[in-house]
Amino acid sequence: MRWYTCTPIAFRGGGEFFTRDSGLVCRGLQLIGVESRAVMPGERQEQDHADLIRTEFRNLESADWWRSHELDGVVLYAWGSPQYRKVAAAIQRAGIFLLLNQDNGGLISPLAGVRDWLREQWIHTGQGRGAPAWARCGLRVFRGVSVGLFLTDPRRAAHLRHGDVIACVSPKAAEYYRKVCRYYGGADLASRVEVVPHAVESRFRFADGPKRRQVACVGRWQDVVQKRPRLLMETVGLLVAADAGVEVVIAGQVTVELDEWHRSLAESSRRRVKLRGLVERSELAGILGESQVFFSPSAFESFGIAAAEALCSGCSVVAGRSVSMASFEWFVGDDSGTLADADDAAGHQRALKQELTYWEQGRRDAGEIAGVWGERLHAERVAAKILSLQDAYAARRKGILNFEF
């Protein structure tokens, strides 16, 4: 078999590209014996791996170009964006099975659910207070119910119709997508929506051994709106002050604010909070492998790859309960985490305390957590699910044709 993955944006094509998203799915397909390469536009770069194809963007919109590669399937990472509809159309015209990856939480339109969609608009303004925040939120809502409903949504639907499978990264996102697809394409389009999570590298796994009473946090802490470093600092400060036996490891760029906060902690707390800065992937795997709990203070995540890596490493997960954290509702199932009852430092600290208590009581098992989520998320398992969806689609089409005959 021959499957390619494609993203229509000219990212760097070195080793980092192949640790996530379309690059990692390409690797997963290779692991299960499928001939696979990744495709991106642009000029070839020095760091590009040999199994990356660079081409002119116009070729991505050419059915003849895709047909020339004699492919069984393509996984397209184009977010259902209207501007990349012609890429999806070209792959479909070439007669290639097309899986459209949707890297978001599913609230792409008011049609996905008005109440949840409105809540997400407020969250994406930064949850500020006062007239500017309400004005920004109002502008987002106005765009969504005007340009969004009457221009963007129909064009997105046209893109989605080219796909054989519309792959959402979590069950909740798939639920939202089915509502939108049912509106624009009836039961047929809605039936193409499937859950295909983002892949996780196989290095993130649990090797038998003791877990430390340790909480791991990973993020781009310079992104104050999404990653919420202020909430991180307040929550961790409460936790280490109340629990003299817990340690916290924070990975990611150390900002001025993080450094000043860390130096302001009491000596007994500061010794147990480690700012590791930017870490290599192997070092991150070690941190997650020895930690009991992973904590995400994010306001929103399309998926949460760091949390997924933690689950495969045998950590349980703590995060806020929010419509904009759709994957985390899934992540905490199967005795693998807790969502905070209130989206503030006290609420997140209570959730962390509860998870640490569950570990102490033997109600969390690293091997079980890693086993369940590794089967779902490791790259070779995601690749195998993609192939199974192709088989299921072919069987369904055969059944339809036989029935029509």
Side-chain angles (χ1 to χ4, degrees), residues 207-225:
D208 290 338
K211 284 273 195 178
R212 298 165 62 91
R213 189 176 175 82
Q214 179 171 284
V215 176
C217 313
V218 182
R220 301 185 313 276
W221 306 117
Q222 63 272 33
D223 186 342
V224 297
V225 174

Side-chain angles (χ1 to χ4, degrees), residues 236-383:
V236 170
L238 290 175
L239 180 67
V240 294
D243 186 337
V246 70
E247 296 181 345
V248 179
V249 177
I250 301 173
Q253 181 176 326
V254 179
T255 63
V256 172
E257 292 77 11
L258 266 175
D259 183 58
E260 290 177 348
W261 163 77
H262 186 254
R263 286 190 282 107
S264 74
L265 293 172
E267 176 63 23
S268 60
S269 295
R270 188 166 60 251
R271 288 197 307 267
R272 292 179 287 118
V273 179
K274 302 175 180 65
L275 300 182
R276 295 288 280 271
L278 296 173
V279 299
E280 297 293 334
R281 303 288 290 167
S282 57
E283 186 179 353
L284 177 59
I287 292 170
L288 297 176
E290 69 180 11
S291 300
Q292 290 182 337
V293 181
F294 175 88
F295 172 49
S296 172
S298 295
F300 52 90
E301 293 284 354
S302 61
F303 182 66
I305 289 179
E309 292 167 343
L311 288 165
C312 290
S313 304
C315 298
S316 60
V317 169
V318 168
R321 187 183 302 278
S322 168
V323 296
S324 297
M325 298 282 282
S327 292
F328 285 77
E329 184 177 308
W330 186 31
F331 289 167
V332 302
D334 300 299
D335 294 323
S336 52
T338 298
L339 297 180
D341 57 7
D343 194 30
D344 55 22
H348 285 253
Q349 188 258 353
R350 285 193 296 270
L352 285 167
K353 181 180 178 181
Q354 179 173 298
E355 273 304 308
L356 291 166
T357 300
Y358 284 162
W359 280 95
E360 190 175 3
Q361 295 172 345
R363 296 174 61 181
R364 295 289 184 258
D365 185 285
E368 289 184 5
I369 293 171
V372 167
W373 289 99
E375 277 294 305
R376 291 171 178 166
L377 303 178
H378 277 149
E380 65 273 19
R381 302 310 305 159
V382 173

Side-chain angles (χ1 to χ4, degrees), residues 381-393:
R381 302 310 305 159
V382 173
K385 178 162 188 177
I386 289 170
L387 296 190
S388 73
L389 289 172
Q390 183 185 29
D391 291 341
Y393 175 86

Side-chain angles (χ1 to χ4, degrees), residues 68-355:
S68 71
H69 291 276
E70 300 180 343
L71 301 175
D72 294 287
V74 172
V75 183
L76 178 61
Y77 283 71
W79 313 278
S81 173
Q83 73 184 99
Y84 302 122
R85 183 192 64 79
K86 291 182 180 180
V87 179
I91 297 169
Q92 182 193 45
R93 289 199 311 274
I96 301 168
F97 186 88
L98 177 58
L99 184 144
L100 299 173
N101 175 276
Q102 306 301 300
D103 180 17
N104 56 61
L107 289 169
I108 55 174
S109 164
L111 299 174
V114 174
R115 180 179 298 179
D116 287 353
W117 180 82
L118 286 172
R119 290 166 66 189
E120 175 147 281
Q121 305 320 299
W122 176 244
I123 290 168
H124 277 262
T125 63
Q127 303 186 76
R129 294 291 182 267
W134 283 107
R136 292 195 307 273
C137 183
L139 182 60
R140 288 181 64 94
V141 171
F142 176 75
R143 284 200 302 259
V145 299
S146 56
V147 175
L149 279 178
F150 295 102
L151 182 61
T152 306
D153 279 8
R155 294 173 64 207
R156 179 188 287 113
H159 181 149
L160 296 177
R161 290 190 193 101
H162 294 301
D164 297 300
V165 171
I166 301 166
C168 296
V169 294
S170 71
K172 192 65 178 181
E175 180 184 322
Y176 289 134
Y177 259 82
R178 288 190 185 103
K179 291 180 182 178
V180 176
C181 287
R182 192 169 290 113
Y183 183 88
Y184 282 109
D188 175 66
L189 192 61
S191 71
R192 303 184 208 176
V193 176
E194 300 282 353
V195 177
V196 181
H198 284 315
V200 168
E201 289 182 280
S202 59
R203 76 172 79 205
F204 294 97
R205 58 179 64 248
F206 177 66
D208 290 338
K211 284 273 195 178
R212 298 165 62 91
R213 189 176 175 82
Q214 179 171 284
V215 176
C217 313
V218 182
R220 301 185 313 276
W221 306 117
Q222 63 272 33
D223 186 342
V224 297
V225 174
Q226 181 181 359
K227 302 303 181 179
R228 298 197 294 185
R230 176 55 56 187
L231 178 61
L232 169 78
M233 292 182 280
E234 292 176 358
T235 302
V236 170
L238 290 175
L239 180 67
V240 294
D243 186 337
V246 70
E247 296 181 345
V248 179
V249 177
I250 301 173
Q253 181 176 326
V254 179
T255 63
V256 172
E257 292 77 11
L258 266 175
D259 183 58
E260 290 177 348
W261 163 77
H262 186 254
R263 286 190 282 107
S264 74
L265 293 172
E267 176 63 23
S268 60
S269 295
R270 188 166 60 251
R271 288 197 307 267
R272 292 179 287 118
V273 179
K274 302 175 180 65
L275 300 182
R276 295 288 280 271
L278 296 173
V279 299
E280 297 293 334
R281 303 288 290 167
S282 57
E283 186 179 353
L284 177 59
I287 292 170
L288 297 176
E290 69 180 11
S291 300
Q292 290 182 337
V293 181
F294 175 88
F295 172 49
S296 172
S298 295
F300 52 90
E301 293 284 354
S302 61
F303 182 66
I305 289 179
E309 292 167 343
L311 288 165
C312 290
S313 304
C315 298
S316 60
V317 169
V318 168
R321 187 183 302 278
S322 168
V323 296
S324 297
M325 298 282 282
S327 292
F328 285 77
E329 184 177 308
W330 186 31
F331 289 167
V332 302
D334 300 299
D335 294 323
S336 52
T338 298
L339 297 180
D341 57 7
D343 194 30
D344 55 22
H348 285 253
Q349 188 258 353
R350 285 193 296 270
L352 285 167
K353 181 180 178 181
Q354 179 173 298
E355 273 304 308

Side-chain angles (χ1 to χ4, degrees), residues 14-92:
E16 186 68 20
F17 172 76
F18 286 95
T19 65
R20 59 189 297 162
D21 300 342
S22 61
L24 185 53
V25 167
C26 172
R27 290 283 191 261
L29 288 162
Q30 293 169 355
L31 285 172
I32 61 173
V34 176
E35 183 182 344
S36 184
R37 300 181 74 180
V39 178
M40 276 196 287
E43 295 291 328
R44 188 153 190 86
Q45 301 173 13
E46 183 178 353
Q47 72 269 27
D48 287 354
H49 281 206
D51 49 355
L52 172 64
I53 296 173
R54 294 277 191 180
T55 188
E56 296 179 44
F57 187 87
R58 63 184 177 84
N59 284 334
L60 300 183
E61 297 182 340
S62 167
D64 288 339
W65 187 87
W66 285 106
R67 195 178 292 114
S68 71
H69 291 276
E70 300 180 343
L71 301 175
D72 294 287
V74 172
V75 183
L76 178 61
Y77 283 71
W79 313 278
S81 173
Q83 73 184 99
Y84 302 122
R85 183 192 64 79
K86 291 182 180 180
V87 179
I91 297 169
Q92 182 193 45

